Structure formats: structure tokens, C-alpha cells
Amino acid sequence: MTSLSISHGHVAADMLPAREAPPIKRVPIVKMLFGDVMSAALTAGALVTVLALMPALKWGFVDATWATADPAACRAGGACWAFIGAKLRFILFGLYPPEEQWRPMMMMGLMVLMVLVSLSPALWGRKLVTAWLAGVAMMLGLMWGGFAGLPFVPTSQWGGLPVTLLLALLSLGCGFPFAVFLALGRRSSLPIPRFLSVGLIETIRGLPLVGLLFVASILLPLLLPPTWTIDKLGRTFAALTVFAAAYLAEVIRGGLQAIPSGQVEAAKALGIPHWKAIQHIVMPQAIQKVIPPLTNTAIVMVKNTSLVMIVGVFDMLSAGRSAAMDPVWPAPYREAYLFVGLIYFALCVAIAYYARWLELRVKAKDYR
Amino acid sequence: MMSAEKPSNREPSAIAIRNLDKWYGTYHALRNVTLSVKPGERIVICGPSGSGKSTLIRCVNHLEEHQQGEIVVNGVTLNDSLKNIDAIRRDVGMVFQHFNLFPHLTVLENCALPQILSRGTPRKLAEERGMQLLERVRIPEQALKYPGQLSGGQQQRVAIARALCMSPKIMLFDEPTSALDPEMVKEVLDTMVALAEEGMTMIVVTHEMGFARRVADRVVFMDRGAIVESSAPDAFFDAPTHERTKSFLSQIVH
């Protein structure tokens, strides 16, 4: 019986030898571009768009002034990229005293280093949180100074990219743990935490961020006793943090709802205390499930920091705008905004790619 | 904690359930259920769906709350005291129909983390014990995989190992093979038979009548929230006394 089935398999293999895969069908390029009405229309549309963009490209590249010491040379009509070079330090660091600008530079270096170290989930844990607390203290210390021979620089002189990065990172970083408790509170069976969470989330979500920033920067100092002076940057940061927390909380709640009840039941049956089950069993799974919407909120928050401009905080967008106001240069607003926009774009794309990598890692565990 | 134990005039039971009633809203899910399980005894509970079998065993470790009657596990009365609930859950392991493994943890972490979280066992010891139990269910080679990478039968064996890591005195099985492909049922039943042969006290909700005949000391038939019949497997299968039992058996045993 055994030998029969083997010889049978052998015969079958002889009769049906492996063959080469058929060649991949190639569509001629003309057919691809103009094969049917739809393709032809799209091709024509694309050509028209490219032609319409030609003047912009001419402005940006062909006629552009790339480098000059003389602002008057920029009046020829093309883009004035020389302006970006001349004003780079101002756009990046704002009013921060020029001879001290190595400090925000180092601060950003430290931030990038810490972010890079924190990318791999393998290192996530209590030690990393401690390292971040110390790191943030060092970053703020570098910016403020007032010790070890570093001159004190008040937050009113901070500006540019460091302010944008600090606001984005700290509002998300401080908002996240806050959001975890809001999400748990909203799902709690106890009435008081639930009502507090629902009330806070719905209030914050119901207000525009601009309104919240006005409340924090203008209304709050009027309401608080005059002795309580909280720094304007600090108040702006607080407003961004609660705003981020409310949105993150709803995203995390979505993740919590996706966890089957069997997970908590198994934890209970194994005698795992409730809060430890939340921390080690429920929350990690909930957060892994909502990486895409968390990314979305992170990107939105990075861009939202630019709104602090309207309450007079000197972030990167404000710095770019102020730089372009310099009467020596021929009002290069387009160049300034394009440059600042490029930096925002780079930041957001980096976040998006990191999130994609994280998601692939989670998928690699192949769980259902 | 054990001092809460009251002097008993009955023979010592691993589980004593007396006059248990449970309602879901207005639906009467368990009706005056009385069941006593001796240490080392193996009970199989069967019955049509919705008959309250799962609800009954989920009341034993307080995954469901009963409204009337009494449950005493190894001398500890199940009431609202969190201390008593904890004490009972320490003694009682449970295996679920859908495994309920933790998908974000490896197989070994699934076995080790509960010991660390509920007992403060040092990680090294917890992992050693996890490996021992994975060897006992014969899948130590899967220790570093994630549950989603395993077959259903393998996952259920991990779930059994995970429960055994906590050194329970009693094991509850809630339809452990119902979610499995047919060719995987045997490997899980074999593991359960081996456990029974080691003297574990077990309550198993299942429709595997072959397992019941081979392993059970007693088969309990439930219908509409009440225990209809309870007898040794031979008597149960060969000479059922109630009409309801007869018609149920005629439908599932061929």
C-alpha cells in the first residue's frame, strides 16, 4: 500500500513536470496613456496641470535667486531663496539671543537623540519614562538657563522650531497619560469618574482650539488672583495638553472597546488584580489596535501648535512670518511659508512612517 | 481566611453549591441548583445550549454573580468579600471555550505573567514553571511564538498550561473543545484525560460524550437552568431516567 502510493506520486510528478510561469503581459505605453476615453482624459488633464504649473517652477527654480548678500538682487521676480539663508537663524530660533543659540540647538539634538532611542518598543518601560523625565528637565534647563554660568533666557524670548517641537512633544507626552485615565474613567461603572471624564472630554471637544488658547492666554490671567503669574508659554502648553488629552482619550476608548470581554475574564480567573490587568493585559492591546488614529491625532497636534501664533507665542510659523516682514527684503512671504511648510511636512511624514513601521511590527505577531 | 470556614457536618467538599439561583434581568438562568463535588472528583456537565451549564461554573469563580443560595469552595464561602473571591480564584483554574490567551504576549509570557502579577513570583521562577507546564502539555517548542501563530488545539493546551501554572486545586473547563476543528479535539481531550488521571478535581462542561464515559465520576444533565439528572456515566448513558435526558441523548449520541 505504501509503495503503491509512493510510485503513484512519482508517476504523477513525471506526467506533470514543473513549467515556467507565463511571461508577464506588457501593455504598450501608448495604449496605457490613450487606450480608452478615461485614460486619454486623465493623460490630457495631467499635461494641462503640468503646463499650468510651469510658471511656478520657473519662479521657484529658473528665475530664483539662490544666494546673494544684497537683498536688492532679489527684486528680479524669481523666488528669493537667499532670504531663507540670510534669515535661517531667525526662523529657527526667533528672538533667542544669537550668542546663546547653541542652547536650543543642543536641546533639539538631545530631543532627536531621545526620540531615536525611544523608537523601538523593546525599550519601553519604567526606565525610559524616567529617562524622559530627566531628559525633558535637561531640555528646559538648557532653554531657560540661569545656572552654571548660562544666562537666564525668559520664555518670552524663546521662539522658532524649538518652541514648536517642545509644544508638540510635551502636549502629546503629557496629554497621553491624562488621556488614558480619561478613557478608563469614561468606561468606568462608578458614576463620579464617568461623569467627570465625559464632562471634560465633551467640553474640550466642543471648543475650538483657538478659543481654548484665548481662554488660557487672556481670560485665565484675569480670573486667577494677580499673584498667580503663570508664564504665557506655560498656559499655552496647558491648553494644548488638555486638547490633546480629550482627543487621545476618545481614540484610546475606541481601542478599549475592541478588547473582547474574555481577556478581562481570563485575567480575573487567573487572580490578576484589576489594575494590573488593565496595565499589562488590556491597555497594551487597546493601544496597539489604535495606532493609525493615534498617529492621526499626533500629526494634527504637531500642526495645531502653529495656532499659538494668534495668542502671541513665537513658534516657527510666527518666526517665519516676522522674518518676511523685514523691509530690507522684498516681502518674501511665499518663500518663508514654503520653507516653514516643508519643515512641518518633514515632521509629519516622519511620524507617519514611524507609525507604519510600528503597525507592521504588531502585525508580525500575526494575531487574530 | 480559612478561619471563616464553618464547622461542617457533611463530608468535606471541594465545591459545595446549595440552592443556587441566578437571574439575568428577569430571565431565571439558574434554578435552585445544588451540587457537591468531592476532592479529586470529575464532573461532566452537559445539556442543551441555554441550559445554564456555563453560567453555573462561571458562578464558581465569580465571573458571574449569583443572587441566592450558597457556594463554598474549599471551605471559603463566596460572597461579596474581595478577600474570599481572591482566595477562591487562587484555588480554581479555568479554561475557556475561546482560549482567551493574551495575544500581545508570547506563549511563555502568557504562562509567566499571571504568576508575576497575581503572586509576585520572580520572573525567572515564573518562566521556569511556565516551561515545565508547557512541557507537560507537550508544546515547549512553541514557547516563544505568539498565540496567533498556533493552531486552535495548541492554543487551548497553552491555556491549560497557563491555568495550571497557578497550581489550582480545582479546574473548570467551559466547553474547551467546542471552538476547535475536529482533528484538534483529541489533543486537547488527551491533555485533559492526563490531568484527570493525576487526580485533579474537575468540572467540565462539554458535549464530548466519549470523554464523559472515560473520565467522569458523575455526569450532570441540565435543562432550563436546573439539574435534571445526575448519575455515574454508565447509568447516565445506558439507563437515563428522565424523558428530557433520553431525548437529549438520542440527539447527540449516535
Side-chain angles (χ1 to χ4, degrees):
Chain A
M1 190 68 200
T2 322
S3 63
L4 183 67
S5 69
I6 287 171
S7 68
H8 180 76
H10 189 69
V11 169
D14 274 354
M15 285 167 69
L16 289 174
R19 286 180 301 151
E20 261 179 56
I24 296 160
K25 279 183 192 152
R26 287 180 202 284
V27 183
I29 190 143
V30 175
K31 204 180 167 193
M32 222 155 41
L33 293 176
F34 301 100
D36 53 59
V37 179
M38 190 65 187
S39 316
L42 283 173
T43 308
L47 281 173
V48 168
T49 312
V50 169
L51 286 175
L53 282 174
M54 284 314 279
L57 292 174
K58 189 164 177 284
W59 172 83
F61 295 98
V62 182
D63 293 348
T65 312
W66 293 95
T68 173
D70 174 20
C74 262
R75 299 192 185 267
C80 182
W81 299 121
F83 157 79
I84 300 293
K87 290 283 186 180
L88 186 63
R89 281 174 73 137
F90 186 79
I91 296 174
L92 290 184
F93 300 114
L95 299 172
Y96 208 89
E99 66 282 4
E100 299 294 330
Q101 283 178 2
W102 60 271
R103 281 156 55 180
M105 198 70 208
M106 267 190 69
M107 188 282 283
M108 289 194 289
L110 180 62
M111 191 187 279
V112 169
L113 193 75
M114 293 208 58
V115 166
L116 287 179
V117 168
S118 314
L119 291 182
S120 166
L123 289 174
W124 294 358
R126 226 164 258 164
K127 275 182 197 153
L128 193 67
V129 173
T130 318
W132 266 104
L133 291 177
V136 168
M138 272 171 71
M139 289 174 203
L140 294 175
L142 261 173
M143 290 294 284
W144 257 308
F147 62 90
L150 297 175
F152 176 69
V153 180
T155 54
S156 55
Q157 289 182 28
W158 297 13
L161 185 58
V163 166
T164 293
L165 289 178
L166 274 176
L167 281 176
L169 190 90
L170 292 184
S171 64
L172 284 168
C174 299
F176 194 83
F178 194 21
V180 167
F181 283 104
L182 282 178
L184 290 172
R186 190 161 189 171
R187 282 172 55 84
S188 167
S189 53
L190 304 169
I192 292 174
R194 191 171 66 242
F195 287 137
L196 282 178
S197 302
V198 172
L200 196 79
I201 291 170
E202 295 304 343
T203 309
I204 302 293
R205 283 205 308 177
L207 289 171
L209 178 57
V210 174
L212 208 62
L213 286 169
F214 273 125
V215 168
S217 68
I218 296 161
L219 212 54
L220 212 58
L222 296 177
L223 296 176
L224 293 175
T227 45
W228 292 19
T229 53
I230 308 170
D231 183 277
K232 188 199 258 177
L233 187 65
R235 291 193 307 260
T236 315
F237 154 70
L240 285 170
T241 302
V242 289
F243 191 79
Y247 280 86
L248 289 172
E250 286 297 279
V251 170
I252 294 170
R253 186 167 70 96
L256 288 173
Q257 270 166 352
I259 307 299
S261 60
Q263 292 289 306
V264 175
E265 285 175 3
K268 278 185 186 173
L270 289 160
I272 300 174
H274 180 69
W275 281 104
K276 287 187 180 172
I278 297 286
Q279 188 191 343
H280 294 273
I281 309 293
V282 177
M283 208 35 99
Q285 292 185 56
I287 289 171
Q288 283 177 0
K289 280 186 198 294
V290 292
I291 292 174
L294 280 179
T295 316
N296 202 29
T297 309
I299 287 176
V300 167
M301 281 312 293
V302 167
K303 294 184 297 182
N304 273 348
T305 58
S306 60
L307 287 172
V308 301
M309 181 170 87
I310 59 164
V311 294
V313 171
F314 213 64
D315 75 321
M316 184 171 55
L317 186 60
S318 322
R321 212 172 93 101
S322 306
M325 280 177 183
D326 187 341
V328 172
W329 295 88
Y333 286 101
R334 277 183 291 202
E335 292 85 339
Y337 287 141
L338 275 172
F339 177 69
V340 169
L342 205 65
I343 296 180
Y344 278 111
F345 181 74
L347 284 175
C348 296
V349 166
I351 295 174
Y353 271 81
Y354 170 57
R356 215 168 72 167
W357 175 80
L358 262 188
E359 248 184 287
L360 287 176
R361 250 187 78 103
V362 170
K363 271 201 198 120
K365 293 181 186 176
D366 185 36
Y367 62 69
R368 299 156 223 187
Chain B
M1 200 170 301
M2 293 299 173
S3 61
E5 191 177 352
K6 54 182 176 183
S8 172
N9 51 1
R10 300 160 227 265
E11 69 177 302
S13 298
I15 302 173
I17 299 169
R18 284 179 215 113
N19 307 107
L20 200 71
D21 277 279
K22 173 166 178 63
W23 288 264
Y24 288 112
T26 56
Y27 177 70
H28 201 172
L30 290 178
R31 306 181 190 194
N32 196 27
V33 172
T34 296
L35 178 69
S36 173
V37 183
K38 292 193 284 287
E41 198 174 17
R42 277 93 60 174
I43 308 279
V44 164
I45 304 179
C46 59
S49 71
S51 60
K53 332 177 277 290
S54 292
T55 306
L56 177 63
I57 66 166
R58 286 162 60 88
C59 280
V60 171
N61 63 352
H62 204 70
L63 290 184
E64 302 281 354
E65 207 168 340
H66 62 275
Q67 279 102 24
Q68 280 173 21
E70 188 184 44
I71 299 176
V72 181
V73 179
N74 286 335
V76 181
T77 305
L78 183 62
N79 48 29
D80 288 338
S81 152
L82 291 176
K83 216 173 154 187
N84 285 13
I85 294 172
D86 277 351
I88 288 172
R89 285 181 180 161
R90 256 198 296 281
D91 280 355
V92 178
M94 189 166 203
V95 173
F96 299 85
Q97 181 178 3
H98 295 289
F99 330 136
N100 296 355
L101 292 175
F102 305 132
H104 63 304
L105 302 175
T106 63
V107 163
L108 183 59
E109 286 167 340
N110 262 279
C111 294
L113 191 67
Q115 304 174 60
I116 297 169
L117 295 181
S118 62
R119 302 206 171 148
T121 313
R123 178 169 290 273
K124 193 167 169 289
L125 288 179
E127 286 182 354
E128 275 170 20
R129 175 146 183 85
M131 275 317 288
Q132 279 170 18
L133 268 304
L134 287 175
E135 269 157 33
R136 193 156 138 199
V137 299
R138 297 192 309 277
I139 38 175
E141 73 282 0
Q142 310 287 356
L144 298 180
K145 287 194 184 165
Y146 286 91
Q149 296 163 322
L150 269 54
S151 74
Q154 288 172 327
Q155 289 191 55
Q156 194 60 295
R157 285 189 282 151
V158 172
I160 294 172
R162 178 177 71 171
L164 292 177
C165 277
M166 310 304 285
S167 317
K169 298 192 180 78
I170 299 164
M171 284 287 284
L172 308 173
F173 291 85
D174 187 3
E175 307 208 26
T177 57
S178 312
L180 296 177
D181 290 338
E183 73 266 33
M184 290 166 188
V185 169
K186 187 176 176 297
E187 65 185 64
V188 171
L189 290 180
D190 285 348
T191 309
M192 291 166 64
V193 169
L195 196 60
E197 281 163 0
E198 287 163 30
M200 176 66 78
T201 310
M202 294 163 72
I203 302 185
V204 184
V205 172
T206 186
H207 294 133
E208 295 294 332
M209 292 305 140
F211 174 82
R213 252 187 207 280
R214 183 166 161 203
V215 171
D217 296 310
R218 220 161 7 123
V219 181
V220 172
F221 176 68
M222 286 182 76
D223 190 25
R224 287 177 214 154
I227 292 181
V228 174
E229 186 158 351
S230 165
S231 48
D234 287 347
F236 181 85
F237 290 112
D238 302 335
T241 49
H242 288 75
E243 273 314 309
R244 191 68 194 85
T245 318
K246 284 177 194 164
S247 74
F248 176 74
L249 287 176
S250 72
Q251 276 162 29
I252 64 162
V253 181
H254 303 287

